[in-house]
Amino acid sequence: MINLKAIFTSLIEALEISDPYTKGHSERVGSLSVALGLELGLSTRELEILKDAGTLHDIGKIGVSKDVLNKPGSLTSIEFDEVKRHVLYGYNILKPLEQPELLDITLLHHERLDGKGYPYGTTDLPLLVRVAQIADVWDALTSDRPYRSAMPLAKARELMGGKDNTFGFDPGLLETFLRLTRFIFPEDDCDPFEMTNLYSEIAAIKIGDHLDKPAVYA
């Protein structure tokens, strides 16, 4: 019998070898997606999907040139077009697993409710996609990238929560998530070691044990 969790782990290991700058990003997105899902009162099945899909959402970057992924400066339009194809690569990699919600998040996590996302510019986004994409941007902003250092937590919260809705998120989910981050990260100047511990605590949450209890960070 095929062990899907083992397959997921192997795929992430392959991605992190290909793109070391995303090491830990996938797991953090999965953990933060679950934290928001718990706050929203989602079902066990939905939380498991968020954890797996958050972990695998960037798997298509395996198909993107390392020179482009690790480029320290700005990308050209051609290079950015190559990066954008990672959602299609990821969809095709995971399609044989026949997990529709997993495929939705992999394919659509860079779409936006204002129609300015990719690959299709669609605004019809399932709830689990809208949850995962918020967690994805938060971690992208607050972790080191080849082209910039991690953004301070307070600055990331300010940028994501601006009145112009810079990233085209679901406003209600975004408000809940940003409120949640104030409990998860009580200090806006958390050092990297402390943040790693906090993420480990989130990842250790046993999904089934919390569904009949009040929201963890309410």
Side-chain angles (χ1 to χ4, degrees):
M1 183 175 183
I2 296 175
N3 185 330
L4 288 182
K5 297 294 184 182
I7 292 175
F8 293 169
T9 300
S10 296
L11 288 171
I12 292 305
E13 287 293 330
L15 173 59
E16 292 186 347
I17 290 171
S18 174
D19 180 19
Y21 284 99
T22 63
K23 184 172 178 60
H25 169 69
S26 299
E27 286 82 0
R28 292 193 298 270
V29 171
S31 295
L32 285 173
S33 296
V34 168
L36 178 54
L38 283 167
E39 189 73 5
L40 297 172
L42 300 185
S43 68
T44 300
R45 180 175 177 276
E46 289 169 318
L47 294 171
E48 291 286 0
I49 291 167
L50 282 174
K51 189 173 183 63
D52 291 338
T55 299
L56 291 168
H57 73 286
D58 273 343
I59 194 63
K61 286 184 177 179
I62 289 175
V64 178
S65 166
K66 291 183 181 180
D67 290 338
V68 173
L69 285 178
N70 300 329
K71 184 176 179 179
S74 299
L75 298 178
T76 67
S77 59
I78 294 176
E79 289 169 337
F80 186 48
D81 284 342
E82 181 177 356
V83 170
K84 289 193 289 186
R85 285 195 286 272
H86 81 276
V87 297
L88 298 170
Y89 297 154
Y91 178 88
N92 288 326
I93 289 170
L94 299 177
K95 189 175 180 180
L97 298 179
E98 299 183 346
Q99 301 284 320
E101 296 93 345
L102 178 66
L103 293 173
D104 281 344
I105 294 176
T106 304
L107 181 63
L108 303 176
H109 68 276
H110 282 292
E111 295 287 7
R112 299 165 49 121
L113 290 181
D114 59 12
K116 297 179 181 179
Y118 64 84
Y120 306 121
T122 181
T123 60
D124 184 16
L125 305 178
L127 173 62
L128 299 188
V129 173
R130 286 179 274 141
V131 168
Q133 63 186 187
I134 292 175
D136 182 37
V137 170
W138 170 268
D139 189 72
L141 292 175
T142 58
S143 56
D144 289 330
R145 291 299 169 103
Y147 48 88
R148 60 155 174 78
S149 299
M151 184 178 293
L153 303 185
K155 179 64 177 178
R157 196 177 289 117
E158 177 184 354
L159 180 60
M160 291 177 67
K163 292 182 179 179
D164 57 352
N165 196 0
T166 302
F167 299 97
F169 292 138
D170 179 313
L173 293 183
L174 178 60
E175 181 180 358
T176 300
F177 179 81
L178 294 180
R179 175 167 49 84
L180 188 60
T181 65
R182 295 184 182 278
F183 290 91
I184 297 175
F185 311 107
E187 300 293 336
D188 280 329
D189 58 351
C190 290
D191 61 40
F193 180 76
E194 183 179 4
M195 287 191 68
T196 298
N197 287 340
L198 289 167
Y199 276 114
S200 295
E201 290 176 9
I202 298 170
I205 292 173
K206 295 186 186 309
I207 291 173
D209 291 346
H210 287 75
L211 293 180
D212 296 326
K213 299 178 182 179
V216 179
Y217 301 107

